[in-house]
Amino acid sequence: MKLDDLNWKILKFLQENARQTNSEIGRKIGLSSPAVAERIKKMEDYGIIKGYQAQISYGEVGHQLKAIITLRAFMGRLKPFLAIVPSLKEVLNCYRITGHENIVLEVVLRDQLHLEELIDKLISYGETKTHIVLSNVIENGPITELKEIIRRKND
């Protein structure tokens, strides 16, 4: 599916606030509510819009620590790690990457003791490096059309 300017505008508004009504979005971009709904449905059907979710403040729900952990898997331990990682409830995101390490984990934890317990689980799979997150500079930044990025760069 090729995205036109109106689809990109709809995506921009949904990324800002997915709870906006189709009418609100339509008023902002000059389309009727049914036309916006039809475009959103088509983008959902094509898998461009994968879903909608609430952003939860991890600190407010008892997770006082956020960390990035890299893992360099031991020989023969990557596949077993990939099999157990979905069961690790601390993991928000897990990326398989290129380079010296194989895995990057984004995790939230109650405290330092919880971090130690998680690392103890991980070290049987490989060498870990832990980075404590101090603050978020950008979180869930919007995906924009490439020509918009180039235009901003040239301004």
Side-chain angles (χ1 to χ4, degrees):
M1 174 181 181
K2 181 143 172 53
L3 298 178
D4 63 15
D5 286 341
L6 289 173
N7 287 340
W8 277 109
K9 287 177 184 177
I10 291 169
L11 289 174
K12 175 184 178 284
F13 290 119
L14 287 174
Q15 288 178 93
E16 288 173 2
N17 178 4
R19 295 186 74 177
Q20 294 180 75
T21 66
N22 294 339
S23 297
E24 290 171 317
I25 294 171
R27 276 192 297 277
K28 293 174 185 175
I29 65 172
L31 286 179
S32 68
S33 179
V36 171
E38 182 180 326
R39 285 173 175 265
I40 290 172
K41 175 77 170 101
K42 191 178 279 188
M43 288 188 283
E44 289 170 346
D45 290 346
Y46 274 91
I48 293 167
I49 297 174
K50 292 173 43 174
Y52 305 88
Q53 61 187 354
Q55 293 180 349
I56 309 298
S57 170
Y58 64 91
E60 295 299 321
V61 295
H63 299 287
Q64 299 306 312
L65 198 60
K66 187 173 192 179
I68 305 296
I69 301 174
T70 61
L71 176 84
R72 182 177 183 204
F74 296 140
M75 186 68 72
R77 298 298 288 157
L78 181 59
K79 285 189 179 180
F81 171 78
L82 294 173
I84 66 103
V85 74
S87 69
L88 300 174
K89 300 202 181 324
E90 300 89 349
V91 176
L92 297 177
N93 290 294
C94 177
Y95 305 100
R96 191 168 173 190
I97 60 168
T98 61
H100 188 70
E101 285 90 10
N102 307 94
I103 299 291
V104 173
L105 301 167
E106 180 183 5
V107 299
V108 291
L109 309 128
R110 289 182 310 275
D111 52 28
Q112 289 86 344
L113 179 61
H114 190 182
L115 174 60
E116 183 179 4
E117 292 167 356
L118 178 60
I119 291 170
D120 287 347
K121 289 179 190 175
L122 298 177
I123 59 174
S124 66
Y125 296 97
E127 177 186 325
T128 64
K129 290 182 185 172
T130 302
H131 309 272
I132 303 297
V133 174
L134 300 175
S135 64
N136 291 340
V137 177
I138 296 175
E139 186 172 38
N140 298 318
I143 295 173
T144 60
E145 188 176 10
L146 186 56
K147 70 181 182 183
E148 183 180 325
I149 295 169
I150 293 168
R151 185 174 40 237
R152 276 191 262 145
K153 220 176 192 181
N154 292 333
D155 288 344

